[in-house]
Amino acid sequence: MRYSLKILGQYISGKWSEDKIEHWLRILGLNPLLVKEGDDVFIELEIPSNRGDLLSAFGIVRALAPCTGIEPGYPEIDLQQRSSRTMLVEITSPEDCFLYAGRVIESVSVEPSSGWLKERVLCAGFRSVNNVVDITNLVFWEYGQPLHAFDLDRLEEKIVVRRAEDGEEITTLDGTKRHLNRDVLVISDSEKPVAIAGIMGGLNSEVGYHTKNIFIESAFFNPVRIRRGSKYLGMATDASARFEKGTARSLVVSALDRCCALINQLCGGNTGPVCVAGSLSSEKRVIYLSIEKISEYLGCEIPEDFAVNTLKKLGCSVESGHNMLKITVPDIRNDLELDVDVIEEMAKYWGYDKIPESMPVASVSPSVSAREYSRLEALKDIFVQLGFNEVINLGLGCEPEFLYPEDENIEIVNPLSRNYAFLRRSMMSGLLQNIQENYNRKIQSLSIFEIGNIYRKTGSGFTEEPTAGIAVMNKYSLYSFKGIVEYILKKIGSSINSQRMSKQKNGVVIEFLQNNKRAGILLLPRSDLLKKYGIEDQEILLAEVMLKDFVETGFPETVYKAPSRTMPVKRDLSLVVPNSVNWEKVEEMLFNNIPMLEKIEIFDIYRGKNIPEKFTGIAVSLTFHNPDSNLTKQDIEKIVGNVLEMMQKNFSIILRQ
């Protein structure tokens, strides 16, 4: 909603200074945006989730009253009951609807709205429909209580507030057919749903220019039920936003009477008695607060008369005595629950600038979480240095993860929507979505990473495990990408003892094992998995690195040594290797038995002409180094001979001729 200062000025008693309103709205934490249009100024506000009372003209005026010296100017309601006609109202789901009220109005004249009414609803951000609908929207804007008008002659027998049946349907006022389930609360007559409670009315009971008799509803719904229905249907309306923040029981009948009085005044008609289901009375909320506690919390003296007058202007009833305030909070202020909430209000209206500044004295030492945070930030720097860009995804997903079939799915009991129904057990689905979104925006290659938590189900709930997800598109070969993953594992101190390759449902998986425990995993995804994301023609590689041990212990200690005075020597060998050989075992044997061997690098792999079947041609570069003296040609030839002899004897690897 938006608010016109010119129209808001018609709802106050007294005068305010318009140039100070923006200042006070900022003090109240509402981050106002003021736009001047002609001789008027329009305000849009950021309303906190617990301040539904500020979604109304009276709520804004009431919040400004203590600092501007004005009082809310509530309109007089001159409602004369000239009809005895009623409508039977039932609530079959009392935990979802606490109070439902309505009035029948006969013989109304539905026409286009007059000039002043049309101006007000347009200024409030509503579309002008007809005089009856515009009046319900105007009263909604005034009181913050959503109302709805039904064509009475299109309703059968009675009004029933109930849960929808699975598979039930209704066409709403926007012309869309909605498929309902038990999460949705509906307003129905004796035969059919006529509205989705708290969200939108039905087309089958719409008020139009043919309408002669109407039924006006006003209700107090459970915010949780309205939110669930809104999320299930994917519908967000002004009414649902208001109900989700919590309305007030005391507004139900007063807003209804104001609406009916305006309809009688502008549309004619005869109004019937109130039809009510549910309880009109609400429990009073009482807070006890000592003046000393206000001063103790704020660090300055707050006069008692200032506190009392401020609270009264906010709509509270206050009794004072023995330096103690007994505060009865109106139900429109559901944010005031504890004495500290009242103290916060005192701070706002007293003025933060009047509260003296003082620095707390405390000793600060790094906490465990601070150390973990710094370690993860340092790891992010390593990824950036490797040319990767960071992405951030929610820890929720719309489908079970595909990588770890042995783990159980962790389903959310009350998900925000069907798109966020599971806790993620892998980072990879989120990374694939990132690749899809970038590819759809014509990005042809990218390398991205994400550091966050994945979740594992346990007998008592679930655990969070810090993990790094890595993904590339059209950027690296499998061997280069595998080398990056191994480099990251080495940097965080993971000593990989072995690797295991397997074919799974969604692709080829390489697991990096440390003492038979998975430290990382690489996935070469199948094309049918990539097809789900529309990227099946791209070269995609994915990986995950487990960070639990790293965040606890940090980076391994770096040991420096003085540069050697002797030069290393390189020799290249072209080998013919059986496909059954585990190359990791070859390297392990050579390093254990050739003390002067410093490094082994594979720089070429070949299969084809002149290479026997079930064999692979591999070209390797061996680096030898003796820190005590330079190696001679004879030394190198002897060492290389030993290398070839060991490889042939243990693995049937021969020199390529």
Side-chain angles (χ1 to χ4, degrees):
M1 290 186 189
R2 63 178 189 163
Y3 301 94
S4 155
L5 279 186
K6 181 188 292 185
I7 295 177
L8 276 179
Q10 300 175 25
Y11 292 88
I12 66 172
S13 176
K15 292 185 178 180
W16 58 17
S17 176
E18 293 185 1
D19 58 339
K20 292 184 178 180
I21 289 178
E22 181 178 8
H23 166 74
W24 279 108
L25 289 173
R26 291 197 183 280
I27 292 295
L28 296 176
L30 302 180
N31 195 20
L33 173 64
L34 275 67
V35 178
K36 188 170 181 61
E37 295 184 11
D39 60 346
D40 200 357
V41 176
F42 289 88
I43 308 172
E44 291 189 4
L45 305 172
E46 291 183 7
I47 307 299
S49 60
N50 65 340
R51 290 300 304 273
D53 63 296
L54 294 178
L55 289 171
S56 67
F58 293 142
I60 299 297
V61 170
R62 192 183 304 109
L64 290 170
C67 46
T68 56
I70 55 95
E71 296 285 346
Y74 299 108
E76 292 186 7
I77 300 176
D78 182 19
L79 177 61
Q80 298 183 15
Q81 188 173 305
R82 295 193 176 94
S83 171
S84 60
R85 186 171 177 182
T86 62
M87 171 67 76
L88 179 62
V89 176
E90 294 180 4
I91 300 175
T92 64
S93 186
E95 70 278 10
D96 300 322
C97 179
F98 308 125
L99 174 62
Y100 189 95
R103 285 184 185 269
V104 171
I105 307 179
E106 297 180 298
S107 304
V108 296
S109 178
V110 182
E111 298 174 350
S113 295
S114 56
W116 74 268
L117 175 58
K118 186 174 183 179
E119 179 189 8
R120 289 201 182 183
V121 296
L122 292 175
C123 286
F126 294 106
R127 177 176 60 91
S128 180
V129 180
N130 56 54
N131 51 5
V132 170
V133 174
D134 288 356
I135 288 170
T136 62
N137 285 332
L138 174 62
V139 176
F140 176 22
W141 178 82
E142 291 177 340
Y143 285 77
Q145 171 63 38
L147 303 159
H148 184 66
F150 297 96
D151 187 328
L152 182 64
D153 297 326
R154 301 171 74 177
L155 302 179
E156 299 294 335
E157 294 183 15
K158 60 182 178 180
I159 288 289
V160 182
V161 185
R162 60 172 175 83
R163 295 277 191 96
E165 300 293 338
D166 289 331
E168 205 165 16
E169 296 179 346
I170 183 175
T171 301
T172 47
L173 289 171
D174 58 1
T176 303
K177 180 179 286 188
R178 310 286 179 177
H179 302 278
L180 312 177
N181 73 354
R182 293 285 298 170
D183 274 341
V184 182
L185 190 68
V186 296
I187 311 299
S188 75
D189 59 18
S190 60
E191 296 181 355
K192 61 189 180 300
V194 293
I196 301 175
I199 301 176
M200 188 178 288
L203 198 63
N204 57 4
S205 58
E206 180 185 22
V207 172
Y209 294 121
H210 59 279
T211 301
K212 296 300 179 186
N213 304 304
I214 60 176
F215 179 75
I216 307 293
E217 77 160 14
S218 181
F220 180 39
F221 295 118
N222 186 335
V224 175
R225 179 54 52 202
I226 301 304
R227 180 169 179 78
R228 287 182 181 174
S230 175
K231 289 299 179 183
Y232 171 77
L233 295 169
M235 298 176 67
T237 63
D238 291 322
S240 67
R242 180 66 186 92
F243 279 120
E244 286 175 19
K245 284 183 167 63
T247 56
R249 195 186 301 259
S250 61
L251 294 178
V252 172
V253 175
S254 57
L256 174 65
D257 290 349
R258 164 69 169 163
C259 178
C260 292
L262 279 175
I263 289 175
N264 291 160
Q265 177 186 338
L266 301 177
C267 313
N270 302 314
T271 300
V274 179
C275 311
V276 176
S279 174
L280 285 168
S281 61
S282 58
E283 184 178 346
K284 299 292 184 182
R285 194 182 322 125
V286 177
I287 298 174
Y288 292 92
L289 176 63
S290 67
I291 300 299
E292 286 83 358
K293 189 169 185 178
I294 300 177
S295 302
E296 178 186 339
Y297 269 59
L298 299 184
C300 63
E301 295 293 329
I302 302 293
E304 182 177 338
D305 58 345
F306 172 83
V308 171
N309 291 333
T310 299
L311 290 169
K312 286 183 176 179
K313 286 194 172 186
L314 292 175
C316 300
S317 298
V318 184
E319 298 177 20
S320 59
H322 304 292
N323 219 22
M324 179 70 70
L325 301 180
K326 178 184 178 183
I327 307 161
T328 304
V329 182
D331 63 349
I332 54 176
R333 289 299 302 269
N334 52 26
D335 61 306
L336 298 180
E337 297 181 346
L338 306 172
D339 54 2
V340 289
D341 298 327
V342 178
I343 293 174
E344 183 181 7
E345 292 295 291
M346 293 298 103
K348 292 177 184 177
Y349 289 104
W350 179 251
Y352 294 119
D353 56 331
K354 296 180 183 178
I355 300 175
E357 298 178 1
S358 61
M359 292 297 293
V361 179
S363 60
V364 180
S365 59
S367 65
V368 174
S369 59
R371 288 194 293 269
E372 291 178 356
Y373 176 81
S374 63
R375 288 165 183 165
L376 292 176
E377 288 299 304
L379 180 58
K380 290 180 183 180
D381 291 339
I382 293 174
F383 275 108
V384 172
Q385 292 163 13
L386 291 171
F388 285 77
N389 294 304
E390 184 181 11
V391 297
I392 299 175
N393 296 304
L394 287 175
L396 305 173
C398 61
E399 60 183 1
E401 300 294 348
F402 51 79
L403 191 58
Y404 304 110
E406 71 274 13
D407 291 340
E408 291 186 52
N409 300 325
I410 308 172
E411 190 170 358
I412 305 298
V413 176
N414 295 313
L416 296 172
S417 73
R418 285 173 288 184
N419 292 329
Y420 304 104
F422 295 89
L423 287 177
R424 68 181 176 189
R425 296 187 285 111
S426 166
M427 315 285 279
M428 293 188 183
S429 59
L431 294 172
L432 283 173
Q433 291 175 10
N434 297 138
I435 292 175
Q436 177 191 34
E437 291 164 2
N438 281 273
Y439 181 71
N440 290 342
R441 288 164 175 78
K442 309 304 179 184
I443 304 298
Q444 297 301 317
S445 69
L446 82 164
S447 49
I448 56 177
F449 76 96
E450 179 185 8
I451 293 179
N453 287 328
I454 60 176
Y455 304 88
R456 295 278 185 267
K457 194 165 186 178
T458 64
S460 59
F462 60 86
T463 60
E464 300 180 61
E465 298 180 8
T467 305
I470 318 168
V472 295
M473 176 179 71
N474 301 333
K475 198 70 178 277
Y476 297 105
S477 68
L478 172 61
Y479 299 104
S480 298
F481 183 66
K482 182 172 177 285
I484 290 173
V485 176
E486 291 173 340
Y487 173 78
I488 294 294
L489 287 165
K490 183 178 179 182
K491 290 292 286 186
I492 66 174
S494 294
S495 300
I496 303 304
N497 308 113
S498 60
Q499 299 177 16
R500 183 169 60 205
M501 180 183 292
S502 61
K503 284 187 177 181
Q504 295 187 11
K505 177 182 177 182
N506 289 288
V508 176
V509 169
I510 300 174
E511 294 178 89
F512 303 90
L513 304 176
Q514 180 179 358
N515 300 325
N516 291 322
K517 179 183 176 184
R518 184 190 294 145
I521 189 166
L522 186 152
L523 174 67
L524 180 61
R526 288 166 56 104
S527 59
D528 53 352
L529 171 62
L530 299 179
K531 190 173 183 180
K532 296 178 182 178
Y533 297 88
I535 50 176
E536 65 272 17
D537 296 329
Q538 311 307 308
E539 294 182 10
I540 309 294
L541 295 167
L542 303 160
E544 284 183 357
V545 174
M546 288 60 190
L547 304 178
K548 183 178 180 181
D549 294 338
F550 166 68
V551 297
E552 293 176 357
T553 61
F555 291 100
E557 183 179 358
T558 302
V559 179
Y560 296 94
K561 61 181 180 180
S564 174
R565 295 179 179 274
T566 61
M567 293 295 293
V569 177
K570 281 190 175 184
R571 285 291 182 270
D572 295 342
L573 300 177
S574 182
L575 307 171
V576 178
V577 182
N579 291 342
S580 59
V581 168
N582 184 337
W583 184 256
E584 187 177 16
K585 299 293 184 182
V586 177
E587 292 186 350
E588 182 180 353
M589 178 197 69
L590 294 177
F591 281 123
N592 289 336
N593 292 279
I594 309 295
M596 295 182 189
L597 180 61
E598 190 174 71
K599 187 188 296 185
I600 302 174
E601 292 180 289
I602 297 176
F603 62 87
D604 189 31
I605 297 176
Y606 173 73
R607 293 187 181 92
K609 188 177 180 182
N610 299 326
I611 299 295
E613 189 180 354
K614 297 182 180 180
F615 285 80
T616 300
I618 297 180
V620 298
S621 178
L622 306 180
T623 302
F624 303 99
H625 182 227
N626 184 352
D628 299 324
S629 63
N630 287 321
L631 294 169
T632 64
K633 181 178 180 182
Q634 291 78 12
D635 294 333
I636 295 300
E637 288 178 351
K638 182 178 180 180
I639 295 172
V640 170
N642 290 337
V643 168
L644 293 172
E645 182 181 352
M646 280 189 285
M647 288 195 295
Q648 182 174 6
K649 180 179 180 181
N650 292 280
F651 298 101
S652 301
I653 298 174
I654 60 173
L655 195 65
R656 184 177 174 187
Q657 302 298 325

